[in-house]
Amino acid sequence: STRLDALDAGELAVNLRAVLSSSCDALGPDAAQVFGLLGLAPGPDISLAAVASLVNRPASRARALVGELINANLVHEDTHGRYRMHDLVRLYAAERARDPAGRWRAATHRVLDHYLHTAYAANEALSPNRGAIPLAPPRPGVTPEPLTDHAAPLAWFPVE
């Protein structure tokens, strides 16, 4: 947040928070919530399945909400299904996501559960004879990546 503070010149027209706030005010309430939660996502970019887990929405709805953010120039799609925010936009989004009720914690747990269960499934697909570590079921709302063939885990690990 100090990086955002450093860009506050004391005038509303050149205050980054004010500019981003006006963009967020134009969003629908669901897209605004997704915007904030994307600021909490680990890593430089995120897949659609991870977004769906983060925001606890079906992938089709998550895609539509991220599309609204893309149209508002708050998020961009690097490659098919990978979404990224500028570092300063991400800082602002993370500030908006933090609430006194701590709902952001549940979102963080869901996205981490997404990565855990996808990595587990990928490992199982690549090493089916290795003894599996018992794993609790994913939390409600978690959407692990679909790993449909042997190549999918090999592609997923280096990206994530």
Side-chain angles (χ1 to χ4, degrees):
S1 66
T2 57
R3 289 177 23 198
L4 291 175
D5 293 337
L7 296 172
D8 182 354
E11 296 178 34
L12 199 56
V14 291
N15 181 319
L16 184 58
R17 279 191 183 93
V19 170
L20 292 172
S21 177
S22 66
S23 294
C24 289
D25 290 346
L27 298 172
D30 287 346
Q33 179 189 28
V34 170
F35 172 71
L37 293 176
L38 282 174
L40 302 174
D45 60 5
I46 189 168
S47 69
L48 179 61
V51 172
S53 295
L54 178 72
V55 302
N56 194 15
R57 301 277 196 289
S60 60
R61 180 68 178 137
R63 180 181 293 116
L65 293 169
V66 171
E68 189 174 338
L69 299 175
I70 291 169
N71 290 338
N73 295 310
L74 294 168
V75 171
H76 67 273
E77 189 172 2
D78 277 349
T79 58
H80 184 68
R82 304 288 309 173
Y83 305 102
R84 177 182 299 267
M85 299 172 122
H86 185 279
D87 291 346
L88 295 172
V89 175
R90 177 182 274 240
L91 283 173
Y92 178 75
E95 283 182 1
R96 288 182 60 104
R98 307 246 183 234
D99 61 20
R103 290 185 296 261
W104 59 272
R105 284 187 181 97
T108 302
H109 286 290
R110 281 192 307 272
V111 76
L112 293 176
D113 215 23
H114 160 83
Y115 289 118
L116 172 66
H117 281 272
T118 304
Y120 185 87
N123 182 58
E124 285 293 303
L126 294 175
S127 302
N129 297 326
R130 183 185 306 174
I133 299 170
L135 188 62
R139 296 168 196 270
V142 172
T143 308
E145 297 278 346
L147 304 173
T148 55
D149 57 28
H150 186 74
L154 294 173
W156 185 83
F157 275 119
V159 170
E160 297 298 350

